[in-house]
Amino acid sequence: MGNGARASATTRRRLFLGVPSVVLTAVLAVVLAVPTGREAAWRMWCEATRDWCLGVPVDSRGEPAEDGELLLLTPVQAATWGNYYALGDSYSSGDGARDYHPGTAVQGGCWRSANAYPELVADSYDFAGRLSFLACSGQRGHAMLDAVDEVGSQLAWDAPHTSLVTIGIGGNDLGFSTVLKTCMVRVPLLDSGACTAQEEDIRKRMEKFETTFEELIGEVRRRAPDARVLVVGYPRLFPEEPTGAYYTLTASSQRWLNETIREFNEQLAEAVAAHDTGIASSDRVGSVEFVDVYHALDGHEIGTEDPWVNGVLLRDLATGVAVDRSTFHPDADGHRAVGALVVEQIETGPGRPLYATFDVVAGATVETLAVEAG
């Protein structure tokens, strides 16, 4: 991946992949022989291959057009022509996956892991730019909005030459850590009603988060209008059919927690679909896509023989349960599973044509990408 910015020549070379050599040779011959016919030659190539190319704008339908301002991209091209920003909370920062970046594994730190899925995604492709890993443990969506453009904020950047943004957010807005602790610390210990009694409060928080999410995606899109924005959901933590209690969590409590995560993912997916429909219907560039990771840990949930999730840290029942930051967070194996699904989404795309602004992609030079990535 590019932890360092790639030359614009690398971006251009990537565009020729898969082009029939005979066609390319013929086009180059015309270009070299008749410089004034360069635009016409490139246009002939685009029409022949039905692929996009740097130098021939297209219209919103992907057809070569004299006054076109867009480029029709493959899903991978659309994700990799520029920089990559990774935003979100602890499920995106890799809290619980170990191998933390220097300076982040401290009290109140972001706990960014080299094993987190953004790092795995960045290593999976030859990005023209580089990864800006900003996800932070404990991050709330509303706090991101409150701190817009402040130093240290996840939204303190303006990077139009960004091709990919991943964001996983919302769990802390729902107070999920508090919910889990309430489910586990109760008297009597087998009274699962203390867990499900939180449902009304959670639904209110979910409803409130709808507005927060709309504003967040708007802020991200304003900063990177040509990017593919991938919203990463949350994985199911417990087996689909729990066979017994996990410490003080009864099987019914585990099922309820699974269902809560599923419902929140559905809310995110619906909001994402509405955003992307709006982009497509108004012939705008970029995309907003949902990455469904609900089943990422199938067979490796909490309480299984080989969990890909950190379990709970118990002290003693007299003083209660000490819930560490990384409790119920994916470990390195869990992040590999989530990362594989993000990569799958990058390669399959949103199921519709993807476009970027011609001048923006053409302007993604080494210097520009490096400056924007900080």
Side-chain angles (χ1 to χ4, degrees), residues 10-92:
T10 300
T11 303
R12 288 175 171 79
R13 282 196 298 272
R14 191 182 298 122
L15 310 185
F16 295 112
L17 295 179
V19 178
S21 58
V22 174
V23 175
L24 182 57
T25 300
V27 169
L28 291 177
V30 173
V31 171
L32 292 174
V34 188
T36 57
R38 181 177 302 154
E39 181 178 351
W42 283 124
R43 193 177 304 283
M44 288 171 57
W45 175 55
C46 285
E47 291 174 346
T49 63
R50 307 306 300 168
D51 201 355
W52 72 295
C53 60
L54 195 61
V56 177
V58 298
D59 59 23
S60 60
R61 297 171 299 168
E63 299 291 340
E66 292 291 340
D67 57 350
E69 298 179 350
L70 308 180
L71 291 173
L72 176 62
L73 313 176
T74 68
V76 172
Q77 289 168 342
T80 60
W81 61 262
N83 284 319
Y84 167 25
Y85 276 79
L87 315 177
D89 58 24
S90 55
Y91 275 71
S92 293

Side-chain angles (χ1 to χ4, degrees), residues 60-365:
S60 60
R61 297 171 299 168
E63 299 291 340
E66 292 291 340
D67 57 350
E69 298 179 350
L70 308 180
L71 291 173
L72 176 62
L73 313 176
T74 68
V76 172
Q77 289 168 342
T80 60
W81 61 262
N83 284 319
Y84 167 25
Y85 276 79
L87 315 177
D89 58 24
S90 55
Y91 275 71
S92 293
S93 74
D95 194 343
R98 303 187 180 277
D99 296 328
Y100 300 109
H101 290 190
T104 70
V106 296
Q107 184 68 29
C110 287
W111 299 86
R112 297 187 185 113
S113 170
N115 300 317
Y117 74 77
E119 295 279 9
L120 303 179
V121 169
D123 286 340
S124 297
Y125 299 100
D126 182 23
F127 281 84
R130 68 184 187 189
L131 167 65
S132 290
F133 191 3
L134 304 181
C136 191
S137 183
Q139 183 69 73
R140 289 176 169 82
H142 71 80
M144 288 177 69
L145 294 172
D146 291 342
V148 164
D149 293 329
E150 293 182 5
V151 175
S153 165
Q154 291 192 47
L155 293 175
W157 50 276
D158 182 17
H161 296 90
T162 297
S163 54
L164 179 67
V165 177
T166 56
I167 179 170
I169 197 73
N172 293 317
D173 293 80
L174 267 59
F176 203 63
S177 294
T178 301
V179 170
L180 283 168
K181 187 171 183 178
T182 301
C183 286
M184 298 197 71
V185 184
R186 56 179 183 266
V187 179
L189 291 177
L190 296 181
D191 178 17
S192 60
C195 195
T196 57
Q198 302 175 88
E199 185 167 340
E200 184 177 350
D201 286 341
I202 289 179
R203 292 194 180 281
K204 289 179 180 178
R205 293 172 196 154
M206 287 175 63
E207 183 176 348
K208 183 177 181 180
F209 186 73
E210 289 181 1
T211 301
T212 299
F213 185 75
E214 291 291 318
E215 294 178 9
L216 271 177
I217 296 302
E219 290 290 346
V220 171
R221 289 271 299 159
R222 275 190 284 277
R223 283 161 174 74
D226 286 74
R228 289 181 65 185
V229 179
L230 271 55
V231 177
V232 182
Y234 291 87
R236 191 186 68 225
L237 298 178
F238 301 96
E240 188 172 8
E241 292 297 333
T243 57
Y246 175 75
Y247 288 107
T248 60
L249 278 176
T250 63
S252 61
S253 291
Q254 294 173 51
R255 284 191 292 269
W256 177 78
L257 288 166
N258 284 342
E259 181 64 15
T260 300
I261 294 172
R262 186 190 64 78
E263 289 182 7
F264 185 54
N265 280 339
E266 288 180 351
Q267 175 178 310
L268 291 174
E270 290 175 5
V272 164
H275 269 284
D276 198 62
T277 297
I279 293 171
S281 63
S282 58
D283 295 333
R284 286 179 287 165
V285 292
S287 66
V288 181
E289 307 166 43
F290 184 67
V291 184
D292 186 359
V293 301
Y294 183 72
H295 293 285
L297 308 178
D298 276 7
H300 300 276
E301 304 91 340
I302 294 170
T304 60
E305 291 184 2
D306 181 24
W308 292 348
V309 191
N310 292 284
V312 70
L313 172 64
L314 284 177
R315 290 196 181 121
D316 58 55
L317 299 182
T319 57
V321 180
V323 181
D324 185 71
R325 307 169 332 278
S326 59
T327 294
F328 294 169
H329 282 67
D331 61 14
D333 289 327
H335 273 271
R336 276 191 286 272
V338 170
L341 292 173
V342 176
V343 166
E344 181 179 320
Q345 183 62 38
I346 288 174
E347 305 209 348
T348 58
R352 64 171 180 82
L354 287 164
Y355 301 96
T357 307
F358 168 75
D359 288 339
V360 172
V361 176
T365 64

